[in-house]
Amino acid sequence: MYRFKTLLTFGQLQAGHRGPTSRYLRTLRSPGAAVTGSPPNGHQARRGYAAPVAAEPFLSGSSSNYVEEMYQSWLEDPKSVHKSWDIFFRNAQNGAAPGTAYTPPPPVSTMYPPSTQAVATTMTPPAGRSLGAPLDRRVIEDHLSVQTIIRSYQIRGHNISKLDPLGINNPDLNSEIPPELEAKNYKLDEHDMDRVFTLPQTTFIGGEQSALPLREIIRRLEDTYCRSIGVEYMFINDRDQCDWIRQRFETPGIMQFTKMDKRLILERLIRSHRFEEFLARKWSAEKRFGLEGCEVLVPALKSIIDVCSGKGVESFVIGMPHRGRLNVLANVARKPLEHLFSQFDSKLEAADEGSGDVKYHLGMAHSRLNHITKKNINIAIVANPSHLEAVDPVVQGKVRAEQFYRGDTEGKRVMSILMHGDAAFAGQGVVFETFHLSDLRDYSTHGTIHVVVNNQIGFTTDPRYARSSPYCTDVARVVNAPIFHVNADDPEAVMYVCQVASQWRCTFGKDVVIDLVCYRRNGHNEMDEPMFTQPLMYKKIRNHAPALTKYAGDKIKEGVMTQEEFEEELAGYDKICEDAYQNAKTIQNVKNSDWLDSPWTGFFNHDVPLRYPSTGIGEDILKDIGTKFSSVPEDYSLHGGLKRVLRSRFDMVKNRQIDWALGEALAFGSLLKEGIHVRLSGQDVERGTFSHRHHMLHDQNVDKKFFMPLNNLYPDQAHYTVCNSSLSEFGVLGFELGFSMTNPQSLVIWEAQFGDFHNTAQCIIDQFISSGQAKWCRQSGITMLLPHGYEGMGPEHSSARIERFLQMSNDDPDIIPTLNEDFVINQLYDANWLIANCTTPANIFHILRRQIILPFRKPLIIFTPKSLLRHPDARSSFDEMVEGTMFKRVIQEDGIASQNPDKVQKLVLCSGKVYYDLIKEREKLGLEENIAVTRLEQISPFPYDLIIEEMKKYPNAKIQWAQEEHKNMGAWNYVQARIHTAANWKRRCTYAGRPASAATATGNKFTHLTELDNLLREACNLD
């Protein structure tokens, strides 16, 4: 931090920069004063500092605070301060007499060649002054002022850079010139402009020169920081990184392009521009969210890919909003144009599964040769909804997964590019959540390049009313990401910024932001009228020439391309588009699968018939995994409570029994043994919210020493990842969804701290998980564990909102699928997701294994218990998990009632924890022969076959659904219609449970128990 301290002006030092050290130095200003005791802040006084310093002629007022700071910096590192300070402190330490410790630098006349001595003479000491006499105060002040000016341009030069192509807005929403950027505020006037000043080590504007006239210093600073590029980086707390950026922007003449470079920029700009013009001509009445006003985005992205490919990146995963997506698909990802154009034909039907999506939401994956680097690259553009920025964490999860499976631990081979709109980047909270994953051990992707298409408007909202921060990019400052603002009408400046950003990401593995300050030539879409709300801006836009027109004119004058060559390029690309347009007319149907962003090559085998799998394993494997899971190396010092947990687990394995945590661990361990990567992520998942899991055992005496039993089962097993996440649901669930999209042979699980909290990730659930396959043909095996159960813990710790998930299930309540031998597997295949509320450890074991053994992938939503984790009755035997066993969709009554079904008066259907309350109440009332209780373990898709069988078994029984949730919640509204359909509407199903309510649960314990008692009384009522 020393480099900041040395840039304070002498005037600032006089102006009251006070603190505890200034009070301390008052005791040092009296010549010869002795130092007694300690300074007010408790630090020990430093020997040899008091008397010599106090008598120095420049030590007056609060400048003592400045000297104190310099001295502390010098003690830490003598090289961190200017040489003159180093000499001064060394003399003081060596006991120099008061007033003699300071040694001035040699006269200025000896520092510069004769040609500069004329302007430097104002800096020489007065005639007759001895070598040890005080240096002129004005000289000190001016030198410090110049250093402050340099630093001020580095910090705030971007505030006056010429970023707006229209010349009407200030991207930082402030039209005032920062006073620290004006020389007159440092008492420097015109006659000082030609004085020569030594440049500090914190700037590269001098190139090979170490001193420059002030006029030249300011000119170079303005050229660097105040033209078409505005650089924000001085908030980064790493000097090497700051110097790296400074060197790439301040070095004179560093932004150079060859004739071929400029020609390439022009050719790419032509393609971007003409693509939009072609779409506008052919489909003038269609929404396409074109790129007009920021056509430079396409050359920018291609430049990023070129640089990063040259540095070894092989795979690029891109997330972006709808604006410009078609252009990026065509000109960056190289989607065949005829496939794109066919999406505009409203008469074409889809030839495969799914409901599809609008063309500007679609993604794709493609492998091609990069013609600049001559290397093969993969490009995936991830499909996303209109919910801006929701795709950000999904992309990051997909990238992290690719890096994991490639063994790319430093992100050198796979990277992400995220594009944003200015309003969304500032306004959407998921941006902040995603940024905060960027440097976490199990979530980092080792740097993302963010490109903001800054329209300077959000739909119709003026940026002055859309954000409170100066820039739309200020959110990136929280992770020390450098921010490069650039005028999108200056293509060469844009390309240079993209090159630097790419080099930054590949060098430091950290995020970086490119802010393309542009405009939106049309309204929010092509059908929108922007003059209603932004009349002045759009009057300016109507008369503003496109970037291609201006850049082409300049390059033709430079001789980069002739007018004839330019027109040939235009005609050539127009012909490519026209030919593709004609080819598109021959396409008979569209395929949603053509737009798949995560193809699983070789996974789907359509030649093999679907079969419902057995998920049991050998008892020897169960015992082996269970024993190892219950053990820890001898050199680990564990908490006493954990030792008891491990002993309890060991005893259960010995007795061929499991509880919930052990059932889950056996599922994970068996999959790991089979080579399946398992990843469990979420808040506090390593221990488990309810202290039941303990998959990471911490040594009580050594920091960061831990043992993971599931990663130490077998020498050739797959890796197990269990990671506590940041306190985020939206961002982390999106991340895990992206992770699950990459490799179908992996079990990716997100667990909510409490199921109630999943609703802050509702966007990911609604727009991606429940509907992703229907919209984008994209399967995912993402598994969500949502703790759920009514135990008197209040409205935010009781309900995972079962009803919301069931409402989005796609099975028809009025139609029973064909009940044949393939009913179960076909029903699973047709479902959009699977929803379960398990009551036994064996069933959780089976359902987790089923996720992988199925020949397709579906999201799995499991409502997991809380009190059942340690319930003595919620145990399972090894007999329920050995070979030949499988997941039980329904657990039928197996007690006394099942032995005399004709005498049963009531069949109670339920799901989840309430089952244990019901059988306890039934036993208490002595109604075991009269009431049968059957559990739905898989609620959706609805197990029609087993429910029909169960109802036929008890022909004389009334049917009732019992649940602990309120009547307008839980599974009641879902199961009621399906039970009636299963009974062919000949038997009516009634309800036992809590009454309808706005809140999910009461916060009053007495009320909770009263409601539970009423529920049980109604369920056991035979009248």
Side-chain angles (χ1 to χ4, degrees):
M1 297 298 291
Y2 71 89
R3 61 188 186 280
F4 304 148
K5 298 170 184 173
T6 58
L7 299 181
L8 289 171
T9 66
F10 193 81
Q12 286 173 308
L13 295 177
Q14 297 275 38
H17 290 263
R18 300 182 183 275
T21 52
S22 65
R23 295 194 296 273
Y24 174 41
L25 283 173
R26 293 193 194 107
T27 66
L28 306 182
R29 279 200 282 270
S30 300
V35 178
T36 59
S38 299
N41 61 8
H43 296 297
Q44 294 297 314
R46 294 187 170 93
R47 182 173 56 84
Y49 179 73
V53 172
E56 295 299 339
F58 61 83
L59 184 57
S60 60
S62 61
S63 62
S64 58
N65 186 30
Y66 178 66
V67 177
E68 171 81 356
E69 292 179 346
M70 288 297 97
Y71 183 58
Q72 291 177 1
S73 296
W74 178 78
L75 286 174
E76 294 172 5
D77 180 9
K79 294 181 180 179
S80 68
V81 299
H82 191 271
K83 187 67 177 176
S84 60
W85 283 112
D86 182 31
I87 295 171
F88 168 72
F89 290 131
R90 289 183 188 278
N91 290 341
Q93 285 276 23
N94 293 331
T100 65
Y102 175 70
T103 302
V108 177
S109 59
T110 67
M111 297 173 59
Y112 305 103
S115 61
T116 62
Q117 286 184 14
V119 293
T121 52
T122 58
M123 299 171 59
T124 59
R129 200 193 86 189
S130 65
L131 188 62
L135 186 65
D136 182 78
R137 169 177 163 176
R138 172 68 188 276
V139 174
I140 296 175
E141 182 177 350
D142 288 352
H143 270 83
L144 291 174
S145 293
V146 170
Q147 292 185 52
T148 304
I149 289 172
I150 293 172
R151 174 170 166 74
S152 296
Y153 271 93
Q154 292 169 338
I155 296 174
R156 300 206 61 187
H158 57 84
N159 290 114
I160 59 172
S161 54
K162 299 173 179 60
L163 299 176
D164 180 16
L166 304 176
I168 58 176
N169 282 333
N170 294 93
D172 66 343
L173 308 182
N174 189 346
S175 60
E176 296 182 3
I177 298 175
E180 58 265 44
L181 299 181
E182 298 184 278
K184 65 182 181 181
N185 293 321
Y186 299 90
K187 299 181 181 178
L188 294 170
D189 50 31
E190 181 60 30
H191 82 271
D192 294 306
M193 289 296 168
D194 293 320
R195 288 171 57 193
V196 176
F197 292 88
T198 302
L199 298 173
Q201 295 179 350
T202 54
T203 186
F204 292 86
I205 60 171
E208 299 298 321
Q209 299 172 281
S210 60
L212 291 171
L214 179 57
R215 191 184 308 278
E216 181 64 13
I217 290 173
I218 293 176
R219 187 191 70 79
R220 294 191 184 189
L221 289 170
E222 289 181 345
D223 281 346
T224 299
Y225 293 109
C226 306
R227 302 302 180 201
S228 294
I229 300 173
V231 187
E232 284 190 274
Y233 66 99
M234 289 293 282
F235 51 81
I236 298 174
N237 51 12
D238 185 297
R239 176 167 181 177
D240 290 339
Q241 293 177 9
C242 288
D243 283 345
W244 188 94
I245 294 172
R246 272 191 281 261
Q247 187 173 18
R248 278 155 182 78
F249 285 99
E250 292 184 350
T251 302
I254 195 169
M255 196 175 82
Q256 297 292 334
F257 290 91
T258 66
K259 182 177 179 179
M260 291 305 297
D261 291 335
K262 296 175 182 178
R263 189 181 181 95
L264 181 62
I265 295 170
L266 184 54
E267 289 172 353
R268 289 173 168 177
L269 195 56
I270 287 171
R271 287 177 170 252
S272 178
H273 182 90
R274 297 298 275 193
F275 178 82
E276 297 296 348
E277 285 193 341
F278 185 84
L279 295 186
R281 286 198 307 272
K282 297 295 184 181
W283 297 282
S284 59
E286 283 270 359
K287 290 182 182 180
R288 53 187 170 81
F289 296 94
L291 200 52
E292 292 98 327
C294 195
E295 294 92 343
V296 76
L297 174 67
V298 167
L301 292 176
K302 293 174 79 72
S303 177
I304 291 170
I305 291 171
D306 291 345
V307 174
C308 294
S309 172
K311 292 186 173 295
V313 178
E314 302 167 355
S315 181
F316 300 85
V317 183
I318 300 174
M320 66 178 300
H322 36 281
R323 186 181 181 206
R325 176 176 284 260
L326 298 181
N327 205 327
V328 172
L329 284 167
N331 287 313
V332 177
R334 303 282 181 84
K335 183 72 177 175
L337 292 180
E338 52 267 28
H339 288 179
L340 267 174
F341 296 160
S342 68
Q343 289 289 320
F344 286 91
D345 190 341
S346 60
K347 298 185 180 66
L348 294 183
E349 296 183 21
D352 52 7
E353 64 172 323
S355 56
D357 201 349
V358 291
K359 48 191 167 291
Y360 39 80
H361 287 171
L362 300 175
M364 67 164 288
H366 181 54
S367 297
R368 65 173 176 85
L369 179 71
N370 183 291
H371 294 291
I372 301 300
T373 62
K374 307 303 181 186
K375 296 180 179 180
N376 288 317
I377 58 173
N378 301 313
I379 296 178
I381 299 178
V382 178
N384 72 291
S386 287
H387 295 63
L388 299 173
E389 308 297 342
V391 77
D392 295 358
V394 180
V395 168
Q396 301 296 57
K398 181 172 168 59
V399 170
R400 174 71 184 209
E402 281 199 37
Q403 291 173 348
F404 174 82
Y405 296 119
R406 289 171 179 250
D408 184 16
T409 57
E410 296 181 349
K412 300 293 186 183
R413 298 166 60 193
V414 185
M415 66 169 284
S416 54
I417 302 172
L418 288 177
M419 282 170 274
H420 316 267
D422 51 316
F425 200 56
Q428 294 292 306
V430 70
V431 175
F432 188 85
E433 291 187 34
T434 305
F435 266 119
H436 273 286
L437 298 176
S438 64
D439 206 28
L440 299 183
R441 181 191 63 191
D442 294 299
Y443 301 87
S444 174
T445 57
H446 308 285
T448 297
I449 297 179
H450 301 263
V451 182
V452 179
V453 177
N454 189 345
N455 301 321
Q456 306 181 83
I457 188 174
F459 204 149
T460 66
T461 304
D462 188 303
R464 291 171 293 184
Y465 311 116
R467 65 177 186 262
S468 297
S469 60
Y471 290 105
C472 64
T473 55
D474 284 344
V475 63
R477 295 166 68 105
V478 300
V479 293
N480 280 338
I483 303 166
F484 305 139
H485 309 278
V486 60
N487 188 321
D489 267 11
D490 187 343
E492 290 178 17
V494 172
M495 295 313 114
Y496 186 73
V497 159
C498 289
Q499 291 172 13
V500 174
S502 302
Q503 293 164 4
W504 166 274
R505 191 272 171 194
C506 293
T507 300
F508 297 105
K510 291 183 175 293
D511 285 33
V512 58
V513 177
I514 300 169
D515 180 19
L516 289 179
V517 184
C518 57
Y519 58 93
R520 192 184 64 197
R521 187 165 290 278
N522 300 306
H524 176 65
N525 59 66
E526 288 70 25
M527 303 296 99
D528 194 47
E529 176 51 74
M531 292 289 284
F532 291 150
T533 51
Q534 276 75 34
L536 299 181
M537 172 183 274
Y538 276 86
K539 285 178 183 177
K540 187 84 171 180
I541 290 173
R542 296 287 182 262
N543 298 317
H544 188 77
L548 175 63
T549 302
K550 293 186 286 186
Y551 189 67
D554 292 342
K555 297 308 113 178
I556 290 172
K557 289 179 182 178
E558 284 185 30
V560 171
M561 184 181 285
T562 66
Q563 183 66 40
E564 291 74 19
E565 289 173 327
F566 175 67
E567 291 174 359
E568 287 176 6
E569 287 288 335
L570 294 178
Y573 189 70
D574 286 350
K575 185 177 186 306
I576 291 173
C577 291
E578 186 62 39
D579 290 346
Y581 176 71
Q582 296 302 324
N583 291 336
K585 293 180 179 180
T586 67
I587 295 177
Q588 300 299 313
N589 49 53
V590 295
K591 291 184 178 180
N592 294 326
S593 56
D594 285 342
W595 301 87
L596 194 59
D597 54 23
S598 304
W600 293 340
T601 305
F603 175 68
F604 298 104
N605 188 348
H606 299 290
D607 296 329
V608 178
L610 298 176
R611 290 288 182 266
Y612 190 73
S614 169
T615 46
I617 60 176
E619 184 166 339
D620 56 334
I621 299 175
L622 291 172
K623 288 182 177 179
D624 189 39
I625 295 173
T627 301
K628 291 174 179 176
F629 181 63
S630 308
S631 306
V632 68
E634 293 181 0
D635 63 338
Y636 275 76
S637 177
L638 290 188
H639 188 280
L642 271 181
K643 291 179 181 178
R644 290 192 295 274
V645 169
L646 294 183
R647 282 197 300 270
S648 173
R649 289 175 178 172
F650 187 83
D651 291 341
M652 279 192 289
V653 172
K654 188 176 179 181
N655 294 323
R656 303 180 69 251
Q657 274 197 337
I658 62 166
D659 62 3
W660 194 274
L662 196 49
E664 178 189 77
L666 291 174
F668 291 173
S670 60
L671 291 173
L672 294 168
K673 183 179 185 298
E674 295 164 13
I676 302 299
H677 171 236
V678 178
R679 177 183 170 93
L680 173 60
S681 164
Q683 297 157 24
D684 313 298
V685 296
E686 294 172 8
R687 189 203 76 168
T689 301
F690 311 102
S691 197
H692 68 288
R693 182 172 288 124
H694 298 292
H695 283 189
M696 187 174 286
L697 306 176
H698 294 265
D699 191 290
Q700 294 295 296
N701 300 317
V702 182
D703 185 33
K704 296 183 180 179
K705 181 182 179 182
F706 55 84
F707 180 71
M708 296 176 63
L710 289 178
N711 261 334
N712 291 272
L713 300 175
Y714 303 100
D716 57 348
Q717 69 169 76
H719 181 73
Y720 174 54
T721 302
V722 57
C723 45
N724 290 341
S725 73
S726 62
L727 200 69
S728 158
E729 286 83 28
F730 193 161
V732 176
L733 179 57
F735 187 97
E736 301 308 330
L737 171 65
F739 203 104
S740 74
M741 287 161 41
T742 301
N743 182 359
Q745 300 295 359
S746 61
L747 179 61
V748 181
I749 303 171
W750 177 77
E751 181 178 63
Q753 190 182 70
F754 282 84
D756 314 59
F757 302 156
H758 81 266
N759 56 8
T760 61
Q762 200 68 48
C763 178
I764 296 295
I765 297 168
D766 293 354
Q767 312 309 132
F768 291 87
I769 298 177
S770 73
S771 56
Q773 183 176 355
K775 293 192 294 187
W776 307 316
C777 289
R778 184 170 71 195
Q779 292 193 16
S780 166
I782 182 72
T783 298
M784 296 174 62
L785 303 182
L786 305 178
H788 172 89
Y790 282 58
E791 282 129 354
M793 297 182 68
E796 273 74 55
H797 294 83
S798 298
S799 176
R801 293 286 191 174
I802 294 176
E803 65 278 1
R804 292 184 177 174
F805 292 90
L806 293 174
Q807 184 186 40
M808 290 185 282
S809 295
N810 66 351
D811 58 329
D812 192 322
D814 300 322
I815 299 175
I816 301 176
T818 304
L819 298 178
N820 55 27
E821 62 178 4
D822 295 325
F823 165 78
V824 178
I825 192 70
N826 288 338
Q827 195 184 35
L828 295 176
Y829 183 82
D830 293 336
N832 62 317
W833 56 11
L834 317 177
I835 299 175
N837 191 2
C838 300
T839 59
T840 70
N843 247 4
I844 192 66
F845 166 84
H846 284 295
I847 199 169
L848 290 173
R849 285 184 51 79
R850 189 182 74 171
Q851 268 299 87
I852 293 299
I853 298 175
L854 284 172
F856 47 82
R857 294 291 174 261
K858 300 288 179 175
L860 171 62
I861 317 300
I862 305 178
F863 297 95
T864 55
K866 294 174 284 187
S867 62
L868 293 192
L869 296 173
R870 296 177 178 84
H871 197 292
D873 294 334
R875 298 284 179 93
S876 295
S877 166
F878 278 6
D879 294 333
E880 300 173 66
M881 298 183 292
V882 295
E883 291 173 320
T885 59
M886 61 182 64
F887 175 72
K888 296 179 180 179
R889 293 173 295 133
V890 172
I891 300 180
Q892 299 165 332
E893 170 66 53
D894 60 356
I896 299 174
S898 66
Q899 298 170 13
N900 297 287
D902 291 340
K903 295 183 179 180
V904 172
Q905 296 173 259
K906 178 182 279 191
L907 170 62
V908 177
L909 302 174
C910 66
S911 184
K913 178 187 73 70
V914 72
Y915 166 77
Y916 292 94
D917 296 322
L918 288 170
I919 60 172
K920 183 178 179 180
E921 184 71 11
R922 182 181 67 174
E923 181 182 5
K924 173 183 168 184
L925 297 175
L927 297 174
E928 291 96 330
E929 292 184 358
N930 308 95
I931 299 176
V933 182
T934 293
R935 290 168 270 177
L936 271 72
E937 300 284 288
Q938 176 183 293
I939 308 175
S940 179
F942 191 74
Y944 283 102
D945 55 335
L946 299 178
I947 293 301
I948 291 174
E949 179 183 314
E950 195 74 348
M951 288 192 294
K952 286 181 178 179
K953 184 176 181 179
Y954 304 101
N956 302 318
K958 296 178 180 178
I959 301 172
Q960 188 169 63
W961 174 262
Q963 66 176 35
E964 57 184 351
E965 299 84 8
H966 290 277
K967 191 173 185 178
N968 55 330
M969 302 172 194
W972 166 239
N973 287 320
Y974 177 87
V975 301
Q976 181 190 26
R978 287 161 178 81
I979 292 171
H980 287 160
T981 298
N984 199 23
W985 288 90
K986 295 179 179 178
R987 298 172 74 177
R988 179 171 173 265
C989 179
T990 59
Y991 170 81
R994 290 177 165 86
S997 171
T1000 54
T1002 178
N1004 183 281
K1005 192 71 173 181
F1006 177 81
T1007 304
H1008 164 76
L1009 294 174
T1010 301
E1011 290 176 344
L1012 177 61
D1013 185 60
N1014 292 338
L1015 182 167
L1016 299 176
R1017 187 183 305 115
E1018 175 64 26
C1020 293
N1021 182 9
L1022 296 178
D1023 293 336

